[in-house]
Amino acid sequence: MNGLAKRIIPCLDVKNGETVKGTNFVNLRSAGDPVELGKAYSDAGADELVFLDITASYEGRKTFTDMVTRVAETINIPFTVGGGINELDDVKRLLDAGADKVSINSSAIRNPKLIDEICGHYGSQVCVCAIDARNDEDGWHCYVKGGRERVELHLLEWAHEVADRGAGEILFTSMDHDGVKQGFANEALAKLAEDVSIPIIASGGAGKMEHFRDAFTLGKADAALAASVFHFGEIRIPELKTYLKEEGINVRI
């Protein structure tokens, strides 16, 4: 066991003030109050949390910002927020509300300078670049708009640019694996980890504890993120961390 401890990160997709979870980005069902859920995860030993505003319309933003303030008052672990962040003012609003980091995705692809701006103003550690990609017939391609629209950017090409522009870490979701619980995209993860100099968070595919182990060993990920397996009690974080420790993986218990 060496190097930095591997992180376990529950992800909460928030819509109109409640946590929801779908499969392959659709078919959403409710998983409860995000603030209460966040506190439960913090108490259970999660290393960080991610909250994504999946309906970041103007009205939704107000609700979401209020929720961020409540989360910051309730938990004592770092948390990242994403969704609807298009300019520095959005970042300021969320950091002022108490978030530790922001996650940008479609907006970074549309305007890559946003990465430079966030890192320049607030430091690299604040900027998480989320990349949604799918393994199409012609290789791994990036998608925007919640996975609905393909862009002509290859996964590795974009990951390199993100790192070069100063982002602190990459949150990589394999859309093929999202919500189907068959394991993470370990080959793509390993390639990212080898090719890119910043930490990689694995997302999409957690179904059982072995999948987390594989993301860290085969996929060489720095952190692993999951949603439904945690929300619906299929995997409990203390048990997961005990299991990983027994498998020789450095985790904080």
Side-chain angles (χ1 to χ4, degrees), residues 22 48 57 79 99 101 162 166 194 220:
E48 295 181 22
S57 62
F79 70 100
K101 309 178 194 178
V162 160
E194 282 158 18
K220 303 182 169 60

Side-chain angles (χ1 to χ4, degrees), residues 122-226:
Y122 298 108
S124 290
Q125 77 287 348
V126 162
C127 184
V128 178
C129 246
I131 303 178
D132 297 333
R134 177 177 271 145
N135 195 7
D136 295 329
E137 284 175 12
D138 54 349
W140 282 93
H141 276 269
C142 300
Y143 280 72
V144 295
K145 297 188 177 165
R148 288 187 290 277
E149 190 180 299
R150 172 173 146 148
V151 290
E152 290 310 307
L153 267 179
H154 285 274
L155 169 62
L156 281 168
E157 169 196 2
W158 178 231
H160 273 284
E161 181 171 344
V162 160
D164 290 345
R165 287 181 179 273
E169 46 195 340
I170 288 171
L171 167 54
F172 163 55
T173 301
S174 164
M175 292 166 55
D176 307 299
H177 295 72
D178 181 63
V180 293
K181 302 185 180 176
Q182 299 295 309
F184 293 92
N186 293 318
E187 279 182 36
L189 279 167
K191 191 93 185 83
L192 281 170
E194 282 158 18
D195 270 28
V196 181
S197 58
I198 59 176
I200 307 294
I201 304 167
S203 164
K208 49 189 189 181
M209 296 200 213
E210 289 82 356
H211 294 155
F212 287 88
R213 176 199 64 199
D214 293 347
F216 294 135
T217 54
L218 305 175
K220 303 182 169 60
D222 298 275
L225 175 145

